[in-house]
Short mmCIF file of all heavy atoms in Angstrom, two decimals:
data_model
loop_
_atom_site.label_atom_id
_atom_site.label_comp_id
_atom_site.label_asym_id
_atom_site.label_seq_id
_atom_site.Cartn_x
_atom_site.Cartn_y
_atom_site.Cartn_z
N ILE A 14 37.32 151.18 99.41
CA ILE A 14 38.77 151.56 99.30
C ILE A 14 39.50 151.91 100.60
O ILE A 14 40.71 151.90 100.59
CB ILE A 14 38.94 152.69 98.25
CG1 ILE A 14 38.34 153.98 98.69
CG2 ILE A 14 38.42 152.22 96.86
CD1 ILE A 14 38.67 155.13 97.79
N ASP A 15 38.69 152.19 101.56
CA ASP A 15 39.32 152.55 102.94
C ASP A 15 39.84 151.26 103.53
O ASP A 15 40.53 151.37 104.61
CB ASP A 15 38.40 153.27 103.86
CG ASP A 15 37.29 152.43 104.35
OD1 ASP A 15 37.07 151.24 103.89
OD2 ASP A 15 36.60 152.82 105.29
N GLU A 16 39.73 150.10 102.98
CA GLU A 16 40.37 148.84 103.47
C GLU A 16 41.71 148.67 102.82
O GLU A 16 42.47 147.77 103.29
CB GLU A 16 39.47 147.65 103.09
CG GLU A 16 38.20 147.61 103.87
CD GLU A 16 37.40 146.34 103.64
OE1 GLU A 16 37.92 145.43 103.02
OE2 GLU A 16 36.20 146.36 104.11
N PHE A 17 42.12 149.51 101.87
CA PHE A 17 43.47 149.38 101.25
C PHE A 17 44.39 150.27 102.08
O PHE A 17 44.18 151.40 102.31
CB PHE A 17 43.45 149.81 99.83
CG PHE A 17 42.61 148.89 99.00
CD1 PHE A 17 41.38 149.34 98.48
CD2 PHE A 17 43.00 147.65 98.69
CE1 PHE A 17 40.53 148.59 97.66
CE2 PHE A 17 42.19 146.80 97.84
CZ PHE A 17 40.96 147.30 97.38
N GLN A 18 45.56 149.70 102.28
CA GLN A 18 46.52 150.43 103.19
C GLN A 18 47.00 151.70 102.54
O GLN A 18 47.22 152.81 103.33
CB GLN A 18 47.74 149.58 103.55
CG GLN A 18 48.63 150.11 104.61
CD GLN A 18 49.76 149.13 104.93
OE1 GLN A 18 50.66 148.96 104.14
NE2 GLN A 18 49.74 148.57 106.06
N ALA A 19 47.09 151.73 101.24
CA ALA A 19 47.55 153.02 100.62
C ALA A 19 46.59 154.13 100.95
O ALA A 19 47.07 155.28 101.15
CB ALA A 19 47.66 152.85 99.07
N ILE A 20 45.28 153.81 100.88
CA ILE A 20 44.32 154.93 101.19
C ILE A 20 44.26 155.14 102.73
O ILE A 20 44.22 156.28 103.08
CB ILE A 20 42.91 154.45 100.69
CG1 ILE A 20 42.97 154.23 99.20
CG2 ILE A 20 41.85 155.41 101.04
CD1 ILE A 20 43.24 155.46 98.41
N GLN A 21 44.42 154.09 103.55
CA GLN A 21 44.40 154.36 104.95
C GLN A 21 45.51 155.27 105.36
O GLN A 21 45.34 156.16 106.23
CB GLN A 21 44.60 152.92 105.67
CG GLN A 21 43.33 152.06 105.54
CD GLN A 21 43.66 150.69 106.09
OE1 GLN A 21 44.80 150.36 106.46
NE2 GLN A 21 42.60 149.81 106.20
N PHE A 22 46.70 155.12 104.83
CA PHE A 22 47.92 155.97 105.13
C PHE A 22 47.63 157.37 104.76
O PHE A 22 47.95 158.27 105.44
CB PHE A 22 49.11 155.38 104.52
CG PHE A 22 49.76 154.23 105.34
CD1 PHE A 22 49.05 153.65 106.40
CD2 PHE A 22 51.00 153.70 104.95
CE1 PHE A 22 49.54 152.53 107.04
CE2 PHE A 22 51.56 152.64 105.57
CZ PHE A 22 50.81 152.09 106.69
N LYS A 23 47.02 157.60 103.54
CA LYS A 23 46.69 158.90 103.13
C LYS A 23 45.71 159.59 104.15
O LYS A 23 45.96 160.76 104.54
CB LYS A 23 46.06 158.95 101.67
CG LYS A 23 46.99 158.73 100.56
CD LYS A 23 46.28 158.90 99.19
CE LYS A 23 47.20 158.65 98.07
NZ LYS A 23 48.30 159.60 98.02
N LEU A 24 44.75 158.90 104.48
CA LEU A 24 43.64 159.49 105.36
C LEU A 24 44.22 159.74 106.78
O LEU A 24 43.93 160.79 107.40
CB LEU A 24 42.47 158.56 105.37
CG LEU A 24 41.67 158.35 104.14
CD1 LEU A 24 40.63 157.31 104.41
CD2 LEU A 24 41.08 159.61 103.58
N ALA A 25 45.12 158.83 107.15
CA ALA A 25 45.71 158.99 108.45
C ALA A 25 46.65 160.22 108.56
O ALA A 25 46.60 161.05 109.45
CB ALA A 25 46.49 157.80 108.87
N GLU A 26 47.43 160.41 107.51
CA GLU A 26 48.27 161.61 107.43
C GLU A 26 47.52 162.92 107.33
O GLU A 26 47.90 163.94 107.90
CB GLU A 26 49.28 161.43 106.26
CG GLU A 26 50.30 162.50 106.11
CD GLU A 26 51.45 162.32 107.23
OE1 GLU A 26 51.53 161.31 107.96
OE2 GLU A 26 52.06 163.34 107.54
N MET A 27 46.39 162.84 106.54
CA MET A 27 45.56 164.08 106.48
C MET A 27 44.97 164.44 107.88
O MET A 27 45.04 165.62 108.22
CB MET A 27 44.44 163.76 105.51
CG MET A 27 44.84 163.66 104.01
SD MET A 27 43.67 162.79 103.00
CE MET A 27 42.28 163.97 102.91
N GLU A 28 44.44 163.48 108.56
CA GLU A 28 43.97 163.76 109.88
C GLU A 28 45.02 164.19 110.86
O GLU A 28 44.87 165.14 111.63
CB GLU A 28 43.29 162.52 110.42
CG GLU A 28 42.58 162.67 111.83
CD GLU A 28 41.32 163.41 111.75
OE1 GLU A 28 40.91 163.89 110.70
OE2 GLU A 28 40.71 163.65 112.84
N LEU A 29 46.23 163.53 110.74
CA LEU A 29 47.35 163.84 111.63
C LEU A 29 47.77 165.32 111.51
O LEU A 29 47.96 166.13 112.39
CB LEU A 29 48.47 162.96 111.30
CG LEU A 29 49.73 162.91 112.23
CD1 LEU A 29 50.50 161.58 112.07
CD2 LEU A 29 50.69 164.10 111.86
N ARG A 30 47.97 165.79 110.26
CA ARG A 30 48.48 167.08 110.03
C ARG A 30 47.38 168.11 110.44
O ARG A 30 47.75 169.18 110.93
CB ARG A 30 48.88 167.34 108.57
CG ARG A 30 50.07 166.48 108.12
CD ARG A 30 50.64 166.95 106.81
NE ARG A 30 51.61 166.00 106.23
CZ ARG A 30 52.24 166.14 105.19
NH1 ARG A 30 52.24 167.37 104.51
NH2 ARG A 30 53.16 165.25 104.73
N THR A 31 46.15 167.87 110.09
CA THR A 31 45.04 168.73 110.46
C THR A 31 44.96 168.94 112.01
O THR A 31 44.85 170.06 112.55
CB THR A 31 43.74 168.25 109.94
OG1 THR A 31 43.81 168.20 108.50
CG2 THR A 31 42.64 169.22 110.25
N ALA A 32 45.09 167.79 112.74
CA ALA A 32 44.98 167.88 114.19
C ALA A 32 46.19 168.64 114.71
O ALA A 32 46.03 169.44 115.73
CB ALA A 32 45.00 166.44 114.73
N ALA A 33 47.41 168.46 114.20
CA ALA A 33 48.57 169.20 114.65
C ALA A 33 48.39 170.66 114.43
O ALA A 33 48.67 171.53 115.25
CB ALA A 33 49.76 168.71 113.92
N GLY A 34 47.86 171.02 113.25
CA GLY A 34 47.56 172.44 112.96
C GLY A 34 46.58 173.07 113.92
O GLY A 34 46.73 174.25 114.35
N ARG A 35 45.58 172.33 114.36
CA ARG A 35 44.57 172.86 115.25
C ARG A 35 45.24 173.11 116.63
O ARG A 35 44.90 174.18 117.21
CB ARG A 35 43.42 171.79 115.43
CG ARG A 35 42.31 172.29 116.36
CD ARG A 35 41.12 171.28 116.35
NE ARG A 35 40.46 171.29 115.04
CZ ARG A 35 40.64 170.35 114.21
NH1 ARG A 35 41.24 169.21 114.44
NH2 ARG A 35 40.03 170.39 113.01
N GLU A 36 46.08 172.26 117.10
CA GLU A 36 46.69 172.50 118.40
C GLU A 36 47.57 173.80 118.25
O GLU A 36 47.61 174.70 119.23
CB GLU A 36 47.69 171.41 118.75
CG GLU A 36 46.92 170.07 119.06
CD GLU A 36 45.89 170.20 120.27
OE1 GLU A 36 46.27 170.75 121.28
OE2 GLU A 36 44.76 169.75 119.99
N LEU A 37 48.26 174.03 117.19
CA LEU A 37 49.07 175.17 117.10
C LEU A 37 48.23 176.49 116.95
O LEU A 37 48.52 177.54 117.57
CB LEU A 37 49.97 175.08 115.82
CG LEU A 37 51.02 176.16 115.61
CD1 LEU A 37 51.92 176.44 116.75
CD2 LEU A 37 51.90 175.83 114.31
N LEU A 38 47.15 176.39 116.19
CA LEU A 38 46.29 177.50 116.04
C LEU A 38 45.58 177.89 117.31
O LEU A 38 45.58 179.08 117.67
CB LEU A 38 45.22 177.25 114.97
CG LEU A 38 44.17 178.33 114.79
CD1 LEU A 38 44.81 179.48 114.04
CD2 LEU A 38 42.94 177.81 114.04
N TYR A 39 44.99 176.95 118.06
CA TYR A 39 44.36 177.28 119.25
C TYR A 39 45.30 177.80 120.30
O TYR A 39 44.92 178.70 121.14
CB TYR A 39 43.62 176.00 119.80
CG TYR A 39 42.42 175.58 119.07
CD1 TYR A 39 42.06 176.11 117.84
CD2 TYR A 39 41.61 174.58 119.52
CE1 TYR A 39 40.94 175.76 117.15
CE2 TYR A 39 40.43 174.18 118.87
CZ TYR A 39 40.15 174.77 117.63
OH TYR A 39 39.06 174.32 116.96
N ARG A 40 46.59 177.30 120.27
CA ARG A 40 47.48 177.86 121.28
C ARG A 40 47.86 179.35 120.88
O ARG A 40 47.84 180.17 121.82
CB ARG A 40 48.82 177.07 121.14
CG ARG A 40 50.03 177.64 121.73
CD ARG A 40 50.01 177.65 123.27
NE ARG A 40 51.19 178.31 123.82
CZ ARG A 40 52.38 177.84 124.01
NH1 ARG A 40 52.65 176.55 123.69
NH2 ARG A 40 53.40 178.50 124.56
N ALA A 41 48.01 179.64 119.67
CA ALA A 41 48.21 180.97 119.25
C ALA A 41 47.09 181.89 119.60
O ALA A 41 47.26 183.04 120.08
CB ALA A 41 48.51 181.08 117.73
N CYS A 42 45.83 181.42 119.39
CA CYS A 42 44.65 182.24 119.74
C CYS A 42 44.54 182.53 121.24
O CYS A 42 44.26 183.60 121.62
CB CYS A 42 43.37 181.48 119.25
SG CYS A 42 43.18 181.36 117.44
N ALA A 43 44.84 181.44 122.07
CA ALA A 43 44.74 181.62 123.41
C ALA A 43 45.82 182.63 123.92
O ALA A 43 45.59 183.39 124.82
CB ALA A 43 44.95 180.26 124.14
N MET A 44 47.01 182.51 123.36
CA MET A 44 48.11 183.53 123.64
C MET A 44 47.62 184.97 123.31
O MET A 44 47.90 185.91 124.13
CB MET A 44 49.35 183.16 122.89
CG MET A 44 50.12 181.92 123.38
SD MET A 44 51.56 181.52 122.37
CE MET A 44 52.68 182.81 122.99
N ALA A 45 46.92 185.13 122.14
CA ALA A 45 46.47 186.43 121.78
C ALA A 45 45.44 186.88 122.79
O ALA A 45 45.41 188.10 123.16
CB ALA A 45 45.83 186.38 120.40
N ASP A 46 44.48 186.07 123.22
CA ASP A 46 43.49 186.45 124.20
C ASP A 46 44.11 186.87 125.51
O ASP A 46 43.61 187.74 126.19
CB ASP A 46 42.51 185.26 124.42
CG ASP A 46 41.42 185.19 123.38
OD1 ASP A 46 41.08 186.17 122.81
OD2 ASP A 46 40.97 184.10 123.08
N ARG A 47 45.18 186.20 125.97
CA ARG A 47 45.87 186.49 127.21
C ARG A 47 46.86 187.66 127.03
O ARG A 47 47.38 188.11 128.08
CB ARG A 47 46.48 185.26 127.75
CG ARG A 47 45.59 184.19 128.16
CD ARG A 47 46.27 183.14 128.98
NE ARG A 47 47.23 182.35 128.16
CZ ARG A 47 46.96 181.15 127.59
NH1 ARG A 47 45.84 180.55 127.76
NH2 ARG A 47 47.96 180.55 126.91
N GLY A 48 47.08 188.06 125.85
CA GLY A 48 48.10 189.12 125.66
C GLY A 48 49.54 188.66 126.00
O GLY A 48 50.35 189.45 126.40
N GLU A 49 49.83 187.45 125.74
CA GLU A 49 51.14 186.88 126.06
C GLU A 49 52.25 187.39 125.11
O GLU A 49 51.96 187.53 123.93
CB GLU A 49 51.12 185.37 126.09
CG GLU A 49 50.39 184.66 127.15
CD GLU A 49 50.47 183.24 127.13
OE1 GLU A 49 51.50 182.66 126.54
OE2 GLU A 49 49.61 182.51 127.79
N PRO A 50 53.44 187.57 125.58
CA PRO A 50 54.57 187.84 124.72
C PRO A 50 54.78 186.69 123.73
O PRO A 50 54.59 185.53 124.14
CB PRO A 50 55.73 188.01 125.70
CG PRO A 50 55.11 188.38 127.08
CD PRO A 50 53.78 187.63 127.03
N GLY A 51 55.21 186.99 122.56
CA GLY A 51 55.42 185.94 121.58
C GLY A 51 54.15 185.48 120.79
O GLY A 51 54.23 184.52 119.95
N ALA A 52 52.99 186.08 121.09
CA ALA A 52 51.74 185.66 120.36
C ALA A 52 51.96 186.01 118.88
O ALA A 52 51.38 185.13 118.08
CB ALA A 52 50.63 186.45 120.89
N GLY A 53 52.66 186.99 118.48
CA GLY A 53 52.81 187.20 117.03
C GLY A 53 53.58 186.12 116.35
O GLY A 53 53.23 185.71 115.12
N LYS A 54 54.58 185.59 116.95
CA LYS A 54 55.40 184.46 116.38
C LYS A 54 54.48 183.31 116.25
O LYS A 54 54.50 182.65 115.23
CB LYS A 54 56.56 184.19 117.27
CG LYS A 54 57.27 182.92 116.93
CD LYS A 54 58.32 182.63 117.99
CE LYS A 54 59.00 181.25 117.89
NZ LYS A 54 60.02 180.93 118.93
N TYR A 55 53.71 183.03 117.27
CA TYR A 55 52.82 181.81 117.12
C TYR A 55 51.76 182.00 116.12
O TYR A 55 51.32 181.05 115.48
CB TYR A 55 52.25 181.46 118.58
CG TYR A 55 53.13 180.57 119.30
CD1 TYR A 55 54.24 181.07 119.97
CD2 TYR A 55 52.90 179.21 119.34
CE1 TYR A 55 55.07 180.13 120.69
CE2 TYR A 55 53.74 178.34 120.01
CZ TYR A 55 54.78 178.82 120.80
OH TYR A 55 55.61 177.90 121.35
#
């Protein structure tokens, strides 16, 4: 079923959103470690 475009698009969007969340989370964690202003917002 991963050869069907409907399934491919679902899996691609799942991976895309998860990867975007990881970048935001890691940025927020790094800001907290450095004690940067605005860490709470992130």
Side-chain angles (χ1 to χ4, degrees):
I14 65 172
D15 70 349
E16 292 184 8
F17 297 109
Q18 191 176 69
I20 299 298
Q21 291 172 351
F22 280 8
K23 282 185 184 296
L24 297 175
E26 187 69 17
M27 291 159 68
E28 182 74 0
L29 187 157
R30 296 194 192 190
T31 302
R35 182 172 296 108
E36 295 301 311
L37 185 54
L38 177 72
Y39 287 10
R40 166 73 184 276
C42 290
M44 290 177 72
D46 277 332
R47 293 192 294 261
E49 287 186 21
K54 169 187 171 182
Y55 270 80

